Amino acid sequence: QVQPEESGGGLVQPGGSLRLSCVAPKSVFGTYMMAWFRQPPGEQRELVARITVSGFAYYADFVKGRFAVSRDSAKNTMWLQMDLLEPEDTAVYYCNSLPAVLTWGQGTQVTVSS
């Protein structure tokens, strides 16, 4: 079972920033749209942002203007720059292709709290 590898989470104060990283297999990264998802405590997983192979990005309304997704095909890596973080952004963040063809990884915990 092939999983992506997420990293970069942590504890941050409201208004702070974090940058998440996702490494995925080359066979998937070069073929599929990639996406960031999150699962807040007690809630279902939701789509946060997605980016096409050519680099066009789309965002959920609740992160527009605050988050930015990017990717580097040479490194099979995708990033999520998160600024102006809010307590409501607290969640486990996951990456996967879209549609999700990889086994879900462990995710990376983001906690926004003062």
Side-chain angles (χ1 to χ4, degrees):
Q1 295 179 337
V2 181
Q3 298 178 330
E5 295 181 17
E6 304 98 343
S7 62
L11 173 63
V12 64
Q13 293 186 341
S17 298
L18 284 174
R19 190 188 194 209
L20 306 184
S21 298
C22 165
V23 179
K26 182 177 182 179
S27 58
V28 171
F29 201 89
T31 303
Y32 291 88
M33 182 181 301
M34 294 297 296
W36 285 100
F37 303 81
R38 72 184 186 185
Q39 187 166 14
E43 299 183 29
Q44 293 190 348
R45 188 177 293 152
E46 58 188 3
L47 178 64
V48 174
R50 52 194 171 102
I51 185 167
T52 67
V53 173
S54 54
F56 287 99
Y58 304 87
Y59 300 93
D61 286 344
F62 52 79
V63 302
K64 279 183 181 177
R66 301 189 298 121
F67 291 11
V69 60
S70 58
R71 64 188 290 167
D72 185 334
S73 295
K75 298 180 180 179
N76 303 326
T77 302
M78 175 177 65
W79 296 274
L80 184 67
Q81 177 66 42
M82 306 187 295
D83 298 319
L84 300 175
L85 283 161
E86 303 168 351
E88 292 75 20
D89 296 317
T90 294
V92 180
Y93 284 71
Y94 302 88
C95 65
N96 210 319
S97 59
L98 198 64
V101 300
L102 297 169
T103 300
W104 291 96
Q106 297 297 312
T108 185
Q109 175 71 48
V110 172
T111 302
V112 185
S113 175
S114 55

